Amino acid sequence: MEPRLLPPRNARHSGRNSGAAPITEEEGGEGGGGEEQQTRMSDDEEEIVVYKVYKERWFGLAGLMLMNIVISWGWLTYAPVSDSTQKWFELDSQSPVNWLSTVIFFTFGLCGLWIVLYTLNHHGVKPALMASSFLVLAGNWIRYGSAHRKSFGGVMFGQILIGFAQPFVLSAATHYSDLWFTSRGRISATALTSFANPFGAALGQLINPMLATSPEKIPDMTFWIAIIATVASLPWWFVKSRPPTPPCASAVEEKLGFKESLGVVFRNRGFLLVFVMFSVYLGFFNAMSSLLNQIMLPYGYTADEAGITGAILIVAGLLTAAIVSPINDRTHSYLLAIRTLVPVIALCYVALIFAPGTHTLAAPFAISALLGATSFSLLPLVLEWAVEQTHPAPPELTNVTLWVGGQLLGALFLITMNALKDKSDNDKMWKSLIFEAVVACVVAPLALMLGHSTNRRIEIDKVAAQRINA
């Protein structure tokens, strides 16, 4: 079936057919100032659809990145300083501190699949992000007030509010890139938004131990994070929900209804395979990030060294993905990249079993760098590939589904890995790391089971380009 080209509202112009072929007024790369294309829709009367990308898309993307950073920073506020948190709140163990991270994953699953999908589908990205901003502000300042009063229950409540904010920003990534970017920039746009989430976690791993050098500093640390979150929440009041005209032909394609989309998505074999892989690897990444402090400290490492290890994980991922994502925007070699990256990620989890026991920084640093590089490169590829395979289902449906799977498994993995601590040997987590490695290796062969299939949005844009040039 040939893809349909539906002209957008406010972007149609009519005129008598002069017999001249349609022309491209201006054409530039995704990083340029704009791209406009015109195409004839009928032989008798020329109807022209203008496709254009706007510079202001970067402002919205920056706002989305900032929100991801502060929410992720909120998620890992207390994990990098778990010892000081336990002492400040006078807790019997660090298990309640772990629940501050775990609750974020569960709240994502509770509201992500329904509330976020409804908001994005019916009201657009701006109302969704404004709701997220409100929850971030409320959650952070409630945590600060509760930390001053040594109320662990109040901090948990604030953490839950931040957890409810997270699915709005994570799930908006592919929705936003589909609205504002062409196929030559979507992977990079989704990558920037998605990477902002673990980058916020890296900032938490690196900066929080510097802010909370003793238990008495926990309220001060919470205060400064609340200030940063407040500033980062402001840009969304000035961001548009959608561009005046679409960026390309596939962005105008009418999306399926929710019920019809469910059938398209969950009957797609490739999507189901990717869903399992994505959920497992994201779940382990989240669990390991939350427990990194507790993985390394029993072997004699300091909280600062664990924080640096977490920062290396993120920075190496950001640098590698900054190279890989633009390349894949041009080549669209999704399957080759997925089949290459997944086995390497599984092997990294195997190597992680032995890294803490070396009692050197070289092994944890090297494995974290490789794991970050491969995981960060894989994440936006999978998110965008899933949208390509299930188009014209709404992109937020696959995005939310993938993130919910990863967040829920992250919670279950975190609980399991915490329970597998070796109580007889200084709470070392070698059993937890073995569990992580075994599951990661069992899932890895699924990457080889992915078959070649059509990238539907890319094909639609190719058809439109051929019509323009005909």
Side-chain angles (χ1 to χ4, degrees):
M1 177 179 175
E2 186 180 14
R4 294 177 295 127
L5 293 177
L6 299 178
R9 290 192 301 267
N10 304 324
R12 300 177 62 174
H13 310 279
S14 297
R16 299 303 303 172
N17 184 359
S18 61
I23 60 172
T24 299
E25 289 185 348
E26 179 185 349
E27 189 168 352
E30 191 64 41
E35 177 182 2
E36 295 186 4
Q37 294 182 340
Q38 298 181 348
T39 182
R40 184 186 302 161
M41 303 297 291
S42 68
D43 292 331
D44 298 330
E45 183 174 340
E46 190 178 84
E47 282 188 351
I48 295 174
V49 181
V50 177
Y51 302 121
K52 180 179 180 180
V53 290
Y54 295 84
K55 289 182 179 180
E56 61 192 282
R57 69 195 185 279
W58 299 112
F59 179 74
L61 193 67
L64 196 54
M65 291 171 63
L66 281 174
M67 287 297 297
N68 267 293
I69 288 172
V70 296
I71 289 176
S72 184
W73 199 337
W75 156 48
L76 282 187
T77 297
Y78 302 100
V81 288
S82 53
D83 284 342
S84 294
T85 302
Q86 178 188 351
K87 293 173 183 176
W88 175 250
F89 290 103
E90 300 174 353
L91 304 172
D92 294 332
S93 69
Q94 291 187 16
S95 292
V97 181
N98 291 339
W99 272 101
L100 291 174
S101 298
T102 307
V103 73
I104 294 283
F105 304 144
F106 281 128
T107 52
F108 192 113
L110 286 173
C111 82
L113 196 56
W114 301 110
I115 298 176
V116 176
L117 278 177
Y118 178 84
T119 304
L120 287 173
N121 261 306
H122 291 81
H123 303 290
V125 69
K126 184 172 182 176
L129 272 298
M130 289 176 68
S132 178
S133 298
F134 173 78
L135 291 167
V136 165
L137 290 172
N140 272 279
W141 288 108
I142 288 173
R143 290 195 314 174
Y144 169 63
S146 301
H148 253 300
R149 298 192 305 272
K150 290 191 176 183
S151 170
F152 187 78
V155 170
M156 180 66 76
F157 178 67
Q159 198 80 350
I160 290 172
L161 293 181
I162 295 173
F164 280 123
Q166 188 178 50
F168 288 101
V169 294
L170 280 178
S171 304
T174 53
H175 177 89
Y176 188 84
S177 61
D178 184 67
L179 282 176
W180 288 85
F181 289 81
T182 71
S183 59
R184 296 186 65 188
R186 287 182 183 132
I187 296 177
S188 296
T190 299
L192 287 170
T193 306
S194 303
F195 296 161
N197 186 267
F199 180 66
L203 291 176
Q205 293 276 10
L206 189 62
I207 297 175
N208 289 15
M210 301 177 188
L211 296 176
T213 54
S214 64
E216 294 74 21
K217 296 289 186 179
I218 291 294
D220 292 340
M221 176 194 71
T222 309
F223 170 75
W224 286 113
I225 294 172
I227 289 291
I228 294 169
T230 300
V231 174
S233 300
L234 298 178
W236 275 108
W237 295 91
F238 309 100
V239 172
K240 294 179 180 178
S241 280
R242 60 180 62 247
T245 57
C248 57
S250 59
V252 194
E253 185 84 356
E254 187 176 356
K255 300 298 189 292
L256 299 176
F258 182 70
K259 291 183 179 180
E260 191 177 359
S261 298
L262 288 176
V264 170
V265 170
F266 291 102
R267 284 198 299 265
N268 188 301
R269 178 176 175 271
F271 174 79
L272 294 177
L273 292 173
V274 160
F275 172 72
V276 174
M277 288 188 293
F278 185 91
S279 299
V280 168
Y281 292 131
L282 177 61
F284 278 135
F285 189 94
N286 287 339
M288 189 201 70
S289 299
S290 300
L291 295 171
L292 188 57
N293 201 48
Q294 297 169 54
I295 290 171
M296 296 185 67
L297 262 58
Y299 289 89
Y301 298 94
T302 66
D304 286 341
E305 289 170 341
I308 293 171
T309 304
I312 288 174
L313 179 80
I314 309 303
V315 172
L318 291 173
L319 293 176
T320 306
I323 299 171
V324 173
S325 295
I327 291 174
N328 278 287
D329 263 328
R330 299 299 187 268
T331 63
H332 302 128
S333 54
Y334 296 97
L335 285 181
L336 175 62
I338 292 171
R339 290 169 177 170
T340 302
L341 294 170
V342 165
V344 179
I345 293 173
L347 291 176
C348 285
Y349 284 116
V350 174
L352 194 60
I353 299 172
F354 309 99
T358 63
H359 299 285
T360 65
L361 289 173
F365 283 3
I367 294 168
S368 292
L370 184 58
L371 181 60
T374 49
S375 298
F376 274 56
S377 299
L378 180 67
L379 190 146
L381 283 173
V382 171
L383 291 176
E384 284 297 321
W385 185 80
V387 177
E388 293 290 346
Q389 301 306 301
T390 58
H391 184 81
E396 57 270 19
L397 175 58
T398 55
N399 199 341
V400 169
T401 304
L402 289 169
W403 280 108
V404 166
Q407 299 293 71
L408 289 179
L409 280 187
L412 295 176
F413 289 157
L414 199 155
I415 294 170
T416 302
M417 293 173 70
N418 185 61
L420 288 174
K421 285 181 178 178
D422 191 345
K423 305 295 184 183
S424 63
D425 190 10
N426 197 28
D427 279 347
K428 289 182 178 177
M429 301 193 71
W430 62 275
K431 292 179 182 178
S432 305
L433 297 177
I434 291 174
F435 162 74
E436 189 175 54
V438 169
V439 177
C441 290
V442 168
V443 170
L446 295 181
L448 302 177
M449 299 171 62
L450 294 173
H452 290 279
S453 53
T454 302
N455 296 318
R456 299 181 182 181
R457 291 184 303 176
I458 294 171
E459 289 302 313
I460 289 172
D461 292 337
K462 285 181 180 179
V463 170
Q466 290 170 358
R467 289 181 178 179
I468 293 171
N469 297 325

